[in-house]
Amino acid sequence: STKKEAKKSYNIGVLVEEIYIERYASFYWEFYQKINTSASKENCFVLLEVLPVEDEKNLVEPKILQESKIDGLMILGRVPTEYLAMLKKKSKVPVVYMDFYDQKIKGDSVISNSFYGAYHITNYLLELGHRKIGFVGTVMATESIMDRYLGYQKAMVEHGETVKEEWVIEDREKQVYLYEQLPLPKELPTAFVCNSDLSASRLIRSLRECGLQVPQDISVVGYDDYLYPGLCDVGITTYSVDMERMAKLGIDILIERINGGQKRFGMQVVEGEL
């Protein structure tokens, strides 16, 4: 197409679970803003809908879909498989999954490199001389946490280190509720890899309550590179997620799909950095 041709304008819906906006306000609000910026560069408008827990449980179709106001839909953050299956059946517009993927629901998704990100940051600790390293995250809660856990495991196995069961600490029940007080093991490792900076900040608070200082007594690294201001007063080494690139990629895929493009995207993995 020639440059003179005006870009077509589309309405893009963004659906995000209420729980992510309330509890992890930071990360997903920031992500949403990046999506908005990317969309406006492509001459598109974004309509945000927050999905209430009840609607999700009862498989209620989002209003933006019911009213046929959108040309494409982005789902930001993990939503249960049953709900995704309902959306896939009812939605007449293309859908892109942002920051998660679902094994059972095949589709286009954009994720950060959880496996190699956690592998990278665990290696960083091993290079500093740590051998006893724990992991914070409920491994079965989401695919990303599972991938981060496996990346951590890979680094440990390669260095001939065993992962003690009691060093893998759960940070949420089912999918979302983070404990205020993380359950710490009696014998602590010298460092922890956390599946998010939010969990890292909770861990630091729990360690302090036991009279331990970070980083003097114990090292803590995170993942995301996003922490709501005021949650933590020490700097955390973390694996930074390239939200801007992810947002742009998500918008590009959606526009391609809206225009009837059949190109196979599947899962797009975006690298971040330490």
Side-chain angles (χ1 to χ4, degrees):
S1 69
T2 59
K3 287 207 168 156
K4 285 174 193 159
E5 257 179 59
K7 282 180 184 170
K8 272 210 179 106
S9 176
Y10 297 113
N11 289 332
I12 290 169
V14 175
L15 187 67
V16 61
E17 267 192 21
E18 175 179 54
I19 200 92
Y20 293 131
I21 293 291
E22 284 177 356
R23 295 192 173 254
Y24 314 88
S26 51
F27 186 73
Y28 282 117
W29 267 125
E30 175 88 352
F31 212 143
Y32 169 69
Q33 282 156 3
K34 297 270 190 279
I35 289 170
N36 220 334
T37 306
S38 273
S40 61
K41 280 180 187 160
E42 295 300 326
N43 201 22
C44 293
F45 297 98
V46 174
L47 297 161
L48 175 68
E49 181 166 344
V50 177
L51 177 65
V53 180
E54 281 310 300
D55 283 9
E56 180 221 282
K57 277 194 190 125
N58 302 323
L59 304 183
V60 177
E61 205 181 337
K63 291 179 189 65
I64 40 178
L65 277 184
Q66 291 171 23
E67 294 162 12
S68 314
K69 281 188 170 164
I70 56 169
D71 303 297
L73 178 65
M74 277 187 164
I75 299 168
L76 184 52
R78 187 78 178 90
V79 172
T81 304
E82 303 71 47
Y83 195 84
L84 294 176
M86 178 277 289
L87 279 181
K88 198 161 186 176
K89 218 165 85 182
K90 293 199 169 175
S91 173
K92 294 178 180 61
V93 302
V95 179
V96 174
Y97 310 123
M98 299 296 291
D99 200 41
F100 78 100
Y101 63 95
D102 190 296
Q103 256 340 109
K104 297 186 183 74
I105 311 275
K106 297 285 175 270
D108 299 321
S109 59
V110 178
I111 59 169
S112 70
N113 201 338
S114 288
F115 181 82
Y116 276 103
Y119 171 70
H120 195 42
I121 208 157
T122 309
N123 270 325
Y124 168 78
L125 289 173
L126 288 156
E127 279 157 22
L128 290 177
H130 290 283
R131 286 297 170 260
K132 298 175 172 181
I133 304 171
F135 180 85
V136 177
T138 301
V139 176
M140 300 298 282
T142 69
E143 286 89 352
S144 332
I145 298 176
M146 169 69 87
D147 290 347
R148 287 167 204 180
Y149 171 70
L150 292 171
Y152 147 79
Q153 278 272 27
K154 176 178 161 76
M156 293 292 276
V157 168
E158 283 179 355
H159 283 79
E161 299 302 327
T162 47
V163 172
K164 284 197 178 178
E165 228 171 282
E166 62 268 28
W167 289 350
V168 178
I169 297 176
E170 300 214 347
D171 66 341
R172 60 196 80 195
E173 289 179 280
K174 296 202 175 64
Q175 194 183 326
V176 280
Y177 302 104
L178 283 109
Y179 300 106
E180 281 305 322
Q181 178 70 37
L182 293 177
L184 298 174
K186 282 189 179 67
E187 187 212 337
L188 285 165
T190 62
F192 276 103
V193 172
C194 301
N195 80 88
S196 71
D197 289 354
L198 181 59
S199 289
S201 73
R202 291 272 155 94
L203 175 68
I204 290 167
R205 196 182 314 154
S206 301
L207 289 166
R208 278 182 178 167
E209 279 164 16
C210 301
L212 293 163
Q213 287 306 305
V214 175
Q216 293 86 341
D217 303 319
I218 196 158
S219 294
V220 174
V221 297
Y223 189 105
D224 281 342
D225 190 24
Y226 198 95
L227 199 53
Y228 199 69
L231 278 185
C232 198
D233 55 4
V234 294
I236 302 170
T237 300
T238 185
Y239 182 77
S240 174
V241 169
D242 192 343
M243 277 194 245
E244 245 163 74
R245 200 158 143 243
M246 287 173 74
K248 183 182 177 340
L249 197 51
I251 294 289
D252 289 349
I253 292 171
L254 210 46
I255 290 172
E256 172 85 9
R257 287 281 182 254
I258 293 167
N259 287 320
Q262 295 303 310
K263 194 177 156 195
R264 190 182 134 57
F265 291 110
M267 191 196 295
Q268 299 288 312
V269 181
V270 174
E271 294 300 329
E273 59 179 354
L274 205 62

